[in-house]
Amino acid sequence: MKTISRKEEIIQVASRLFYEKGYKTVSMRDIATAMDIKAASLYNHINGKQEILSEIILKVAEEFTVGMENVVSEKISAIEKVEKVIEMHIDITVNYSEALAALNNDWMHLEKSNLSAFVKMREDYEENFRKIIKQGIEMGEIKAHHPEVILFSILSTLRTLYLWYQKRGKLDMNILKRDMVAVLIKGLI
Amino acid sequence: MKTISRKEEIIQVASRLFYEKGYKTVSMRDIATAMDIKAASLYNHINGKQEILSEIILKVAEEFTVGMENVVSEKISAIEKVEKVIEMHIDITVNYSEALAALNNDWMHLEKSNLSAFVKMREDYEENFRKIIKQGIEMGEIKAHHPEVILFSILSTLRTLYLWYQKRGKLDMNILKRDMVAVLIKGLI
DNA sequence: TAACAAAACTAACGCTTGTTAGTTAGAAAT
DNA sequence: ATTTCTAACTAACAAGCGTTAGTTTTGTTA
């Protein structure tokens, strides 16, 4: 019976506020008020605002990194890999929709090693995706459009999925996966 | 020979800074420093920070509104309308790429009438786009996937185009239009 | 050259920010 | 019953924020 720590609670509340108003707009006093305590009390559990941000972002970034590595290592066609990536994005979106706002909009407010770690993960992720697409084109599975256009088009849709997920409520995720995969992939083949 | 006013210069510099760091992160002193003057001097030309933001955002929002109305009023097929919308987005992205960062990320920091005007324009825009897609499905031009999935997928790609445009430099826009239209549309038909 | 307007300046205001120091209340462990 | 630990508190700090008031510089027009 695992109960969530006070620190995790802070991170959870902060995620929601960052989602609603953005990292820079949310003050430590805002976070504290939302928990019915004083701002100074937060520092019994966390080292500072920056730590809250980096924990939110890096945790999800690692999920993406691991998920992508799993897909890459599978012995399936390029198109099937793209399908798996799309499904992974949808799964992560469902589980971390609020954290994704910070990841997408506030990553540039990370500092030093956290910032460079994030940027590296994102670059590696994109590079893996790019390779899948290029491979698919070489094998004749994917139409030979500019690979960057394909990459960008899919990635931008997946990255903003969190916005849409919240707005529409929990439309059945299986329906979403099926239609999203169809719409994104049928343009490629 | 129209020369740009000091106010327009402020808005231009602010757009660049907002693009790089976001509205909340950029201070009036940052904007002033970038122009080699003091913060207080800005107020000889503009009424406040909020006015800078609203001028940047609403100008582009109106471009989109007008562009969409033009497309809607044309007597062409639904698919051709979608093509026109995509091309319009690319054109606006080229001409206003920095302003689009504020429009996408900082619109929620607009106040009162500016905020509601923006939200209305955005809702109308989406509704027009939705109608085009539904009409295309009814006429059998567009495959009968969930219309919201199609709308979201195209719109999220177009809305984040500004990020990609800056990064890749001025890849020939005609090539971009052709490939982007192909990738986004071929999934629909 | 004197008058005027535009656009810069200095100085300061009240407020909010993230954060620190030191203290206190209550529960758990000895 | 006493110590220890946890997690809250009050009070305050220095720095930064958007903005205002009043003044000086600069360039143009009468």
Side-chain angles (χ1 to χ4, degrees):
Chain A
M1 67 172 207
K2 133 144 185 287
T3 163
I4 89 168
S5 75
R6 205 74 170 120
K7 176 171 179 176
E8 282 164 342
E9 203 178 333
I10 292 171
I11 289 172
Q12 199 172 294
V13 168
S15 294
R16 200 192 70 234
L17 294 176
F18 292 168
Y19 171 83
E20 289 165 0
K21 314 199 295 172
Y23 176 72
K24 280 283 178 182
T25 312
V26 174
S27 70
M28 294 300 274
R29 284 165 181 82
D30 290 335
I31 298 171
T33 300
M35 302 185 68
D36 257 314
I37 59 176
K38 299 292 173 181
S41 307
L42 295 169
Y43 289 80
N44 285 315
H45 308 282
I46 45 107
N47 291 319
K49 198 185 180 189
Q50 175 68 201
E51 189 191 21
I52 299 178
L53 183 67
S54 62
E55 296 239 350
I56 293 173
I57 292 181
L58 292 183
K59 185 176 170 194
V60 190
E62 275 152 26
E63 290 271 342
F64 278 117
T65 298
V66 170
M68 176 58 90
E69 281 166 2
N70 288 340
V71 171
V72 166
S73 69
E74 289 195 59
K75 290 192 179 56
I76 52 182
S77 71
I79 282 286
E80 284 169 320
K81 284 181 184 173
V82 174
E83 279 183 34
K84 293 265 185 193
V85 170
I86 293 172
E87 287 172 5
M88 171 188 70
H89 263 271
I90 294 176
D91 288 336
I92 292 180
T93 298
V94 170
N95 292 323
Y96 300 92
S97 61
E98 280 162 352
L100 285 173
L103 185 141
N104 275 293
N105 306 321
D106 295 317
W107 62 268
M108 68 282 277
H109 300 121
L110 290 170
E111 286 168 6
K112 311 176 216 183
S113 65
N114 289 328
L115 177 59
S116 48
F118 172 80
V119 170
K120 169 120 176 47
M121 280 197 265
R122 207 181 50 160
E123 283 171 355
D124 289 351
Y125 186 91
E126 284 186 18
E127 185 55 28
N128 275 323
F129 209 159
R130 188 176 289 113
K131 277 183 188 159
I132 293 174
I133 291 168
K134 283 186 176 171
Q135 193 194 356
I137 294 177
E138 280 171 25
M139 304 299 266
E141 299 173 49
I142 295 177
K143 274 209 208 115
H145 295 121
H146 202 308
E148 293 297 315
V149 176
I150 297 173
L151 173 66
F152 167 75
S153 159
I154 297 180
L155 216 37
S156 59
T157 300
L158 296 178
R159 278 180 178 158
T160 48
L161 195 51
Y162 76 98
L163 284 172
W164 192 69
Y165 171 67
Q166 295 261 5
K167 200 163 55 175
R168 312 294 160 172
K170 310 193 174 190
L171 173 71
D172 185 297
M173 278 305 116
N174 292 323
I175 296 180
L176 178 58
K177 277 186 188 173
R178 178 167 44 70
D179 270 29
M180 183 68 75
V181 166
V183 169
L184 290 179
I185 295 222
K186 290 289 165 54
L188 309 183
I189 57 180
Chain B
M1 67 173 205
K2 135 143 185 287
T3 163
I4 88 166
S5 75
R6 205 75 170 121
K7 175 172 180 176
E8 282 165 342
E9 203 178 335
I10 291 171
I11 289 173
Q12 197 172 294
V13 168
S15 294
R16 201 192 70 233
L17 294 177
F18 293 168
Y19 170 83
E20 288 166 1
K21 314 198 295 172
Y23 176 73
K24 280 283 178 182
T25 312
V26 174
S27 70
M28 294 300 274
R29 286 164 179 84
D30 289 335
I31 299 171
T33 301
M35 301 185 67
D36 257 313
I37 60 176
K38 301 290 174 182
S41 307
L42 295 170
Y43 289 80
N44 285 315
H45 308 283
I46 46 107
N47 292 320
K49 197 185 180 189
Q50 174 69 202
E51 188 191 19
I52 299 177
L53 183 67
S54 62
E55 296 239 351
I56 292 173
I57 292 180
L58 292 183
K59 186 177 170 193
V60 190
E62 275 152 25
E63 291 271 341
F64 278 116
T65 298
V66 171
M68 176 59 90
E69 281 166 2
N70 287 341
V71 171
V72 165
S73 69
E74 289 195 59
K75 289 192 180 58
I76 51 181
S77 71
I79 282 286
E80 283 170 319
K81 285 181 184 172
V82 174
E83 279 183 32
K84 293 264 187 195
V85 170
I86 294 172
E87 286 171 6
M88 170 190 71
H89 262 270
I90 294 176
D91 288 336
I92 292 180
T93 299
V94 170
N95 291 323
Y96 300 92
S97 61
E98 280 162 353
L100 285 173
L103 185 141
N104 275 292
N105 305 321
D106 294 317
W107 62 268
M108 69 282 278
H109 300 122
L110 290 170
E111 286 168 6
K112 309 176 216 182
S113 65
N114 289 328
L115 177 58
S116 47
F118 172 80
V119 170
K120 169 117 176 49
M121 280 197 267
R122 207 181 50 161
E123 282 171 355
D124 290 350
Y125 186 91
E126 283 185 18
E127 185 55 26
N128 274 323
F129 209 160
R130 187 177 290 114
K131 276 182 188 159
I132 293 175
I133 291 167
K134 284 185 176 171
Q135 194 193 355
I137 294 176
E138 280 170 25
M139 305 297 268
E141 299 174 48
I142 294 178
K143 273 207 207 118
H145 295 121
H146 202 308
E148 293 297 316
V149 176
I150 297 173
L151 174 66
F152 166 76
S153 160
I154 297 180
L155 216 38
S156 59
T157 299
L158 296 178
R159 279 179 178 158
T160 49
L161 194 52
Y162 77 99
L163 284 172
W164 192 68
Y165 171 68
Q166 294 262 5
K167 201 163 56 176
R168 313 292 159 171
K170 310 192 176 189
L171 172 72
D172 184 297
M173 278 305 116
N174 291 324
I175 295 181
L176 177 58
K177 276 186 191 174
R178 178 169 42 72
D179 270 29
M180 183 68 75
V181 166
V183 169
L184 291 179
I185 294 221
K186 292 289 165 52
L188 309 182
I189 58 180

